[in-house]
């Protein structure tokens, strides 16, 4: 499975996530949302994978969001998409997705969900053996 990472160049969390993916040999494709805005299909896919909808992906503490002074709950998907196209820094970053999972932001423990299950099982068995030998 290939992970898609929606990143921002100036974001340290995006850089950490990209480094983590490289270090763990996880196949990924990067899309910088500030230079290549999301398509409507990508936006809908991300939104459909969230548990908390827009609350999960909108950076309400960003200057772009504060300056707009809008109530996103009153917007249609099309209206929100148009605003995000014009102000991509409103999105939290990075956003990592594959066919089954989404992660918003960088969290060193949570990002491990993108390691294939077989590899995680192998690592767990190896750690268990080491613990038993000690």
């Amino acid at each position: 499975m290939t992970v898609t990472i929606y990143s921002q160049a100036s974001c340290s969390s995006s850089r950490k996530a990209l480094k983590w993916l490289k270090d763990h040999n996880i196949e990924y494709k990067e899309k910088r949302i500030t230079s290549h805005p999301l398509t409507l299909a990508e936006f809908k896919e991300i939104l459909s994978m969230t548990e908390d909808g827009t609350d999960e992906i909108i950076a309400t503490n960003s200057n772009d969001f504060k300056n707009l002074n809008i109530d996103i709950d009153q917007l249609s998907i099309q209206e929100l998409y148009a605003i995000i196209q014009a102000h991509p820094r409103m999105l939290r970053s990075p956003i990592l997705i594959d066919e089954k999972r989404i992660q918003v932001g960088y969290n060193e423990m949570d990002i491990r969900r993108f390691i294939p299950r077989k590899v995680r099982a192998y690592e767990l068995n190896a750690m268990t053996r080491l613990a038993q030998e000690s």
Side-chain angles (χ1 to χ4, degrees):
M1 283 187 268
T2 300
V3 174
T4 300
I5 178 169
Y6 298 96
S7 65
Q8 295 184 34
S10 60
C11 175
S12 64
S13 292
S14 291
R15 287 191 299 274
K16 287 177 188 175
L18 285 164
K19 181 181 181 329
W20 187 92
L21 291 168
K22 287 176 193 169
D23 290 350
H24 289 84
N25 299 314
I26 296 181
E27 192 175 321
Y28 70 91
K29 61 181 179 179
E30 179 185 13
K31 183 166 184 181
R32 293 245 170 112
I33 58 175
T34 47
S35 54
H36 296 93
L38 292 175
T39 65
L40 181 57
E42 289 170 327
F43 178 64
K44 285 181 176 180
E45 178 184 23
I46 290 168
L47 206 51
S48 73
M49 295 181 80
T50 64
E51 290 182 18
D52 299 324
T54 56
D55 291 345
E56 195 170 330
I57 62 170
I58 302 293
T60 55
N61 60 345
S62 70
N63 288 332
D64 283 0
F65 181 81
K66 289 177 184 175
N67 291 338
L68 288 171
N69 195 27
I70 56 171
D71 180 0
I72 58 174
D73 294 330
Q74 299 303 314
L75 301 175
S76 70
I77 295 289
Q78 292 284 355
E79 291 168 329
L80 179 58
Y81 172 69
I83 290 171
I84 288 172
Q85 285 260 288
H87 305 278
R89 286 189 169 86
M90 278 180 48
L91 287 176
R92 293 183 62 207
S93 66
I95 298 173
L96 297 94
I97 63 169
D98 66 11
E99 291 81 13
K100 300 176 186 173
R101 295 168 283 269
I102 184 169
Q103 179 175 327
V104 181
Y106 176 76
N107 178 298
E108 199 167 333
M109 294 304 291
D110 292 343
I111 199 168
R112 294 186 58 77
R113 73 181 77 180
F114 292 102
I115 295 175
R117 180 170 281 148
K118 290 179 184 177
V119 174
R120 287 187 309 215
Y122 173 78
E123 289 176 351
L124 179 60
N125 287 335
M127 287 189 292
T128 303
R129 275 194 313 273
L130 282 174
Q132 290 171 348
E133 292 172 3
S134 303

